[in-house]
Amino acid sequence: MPEEEHAEAAEVYRESVARLQATAYRNLRQSIALATIVWAVLIALMVVTGDVTAARLPWYAASIVGGALGLCTYAMREPRARLYVLFTAVAFTVAGLVGVFLVD
């Protein structure tokens, strides 16, 4: 294989790998955000059905805030800010999840 064809094939390969990595990162980010949203919806349904006590309320609220922040990640355009909001959403969701199970 001539040197030019080899260099072109290597460049095409690098571009393909870069696109695959970007797509995988985007899919992971969206899956994490969706998980926080689904958990917040489940917690909101528990609040609506009356499964809330004074001890559980702060943890339920943290989970709902985490879901709202997860929803905000879809509206953000700047990648760095979106990442920070996603980390915050995960932190609130995990805190709410752990708190709900510790109170039970």
Side-chain angles (χ1 to χ4, degrees):
M1 178 182 274
E3 184 66 30
E4 291 177 3
E5 288 181 16
H6 182 68
E8 184 179 330
E11 183 63 29
V12 168
Y13 176 75
R14 279 190 218 100
E15 289 175 6
S16 298
V17 169
R19 279 195 311 269
L20 179 64
Q21 288 174 340
T23 303
Y25 172 71
R26 185 180 66 238
N27 289 342
L28 177 65
R29 187 185 71 240
Q30 289 177 348
S31 297
I32 292 171
L34 186 60
T36 63
I37 295 166
V38 167
W39 179 249
V41 168
L42 291 174
I43 291 296
L45 287 174
M46 291 173 73
V47 169
V48 169
T49 59
D51 189 32
V52 64
T53 62
R56 291 182 185 170
L57 188 61
W59 306 113
Y60 283 7
S63 293
I64 291 171
V65 168
L69 288 171
L71 190 61
C72 288
T73 60
Y74 286 103
M76 307 218 41
R77 295 290 173 214
E78 187 179 335
R80 181 65 65 183
R82 183 175 44 225
L83 186 64
Y84 291 150
V85 171
L86 184 62
F87 282 150
T88 307
V90 169
F92 272 102
T93 302
V94 168
L97 179 67
V98 169
V100 166
F101 285 113
L102 286 178
V103 169
D104 285 341

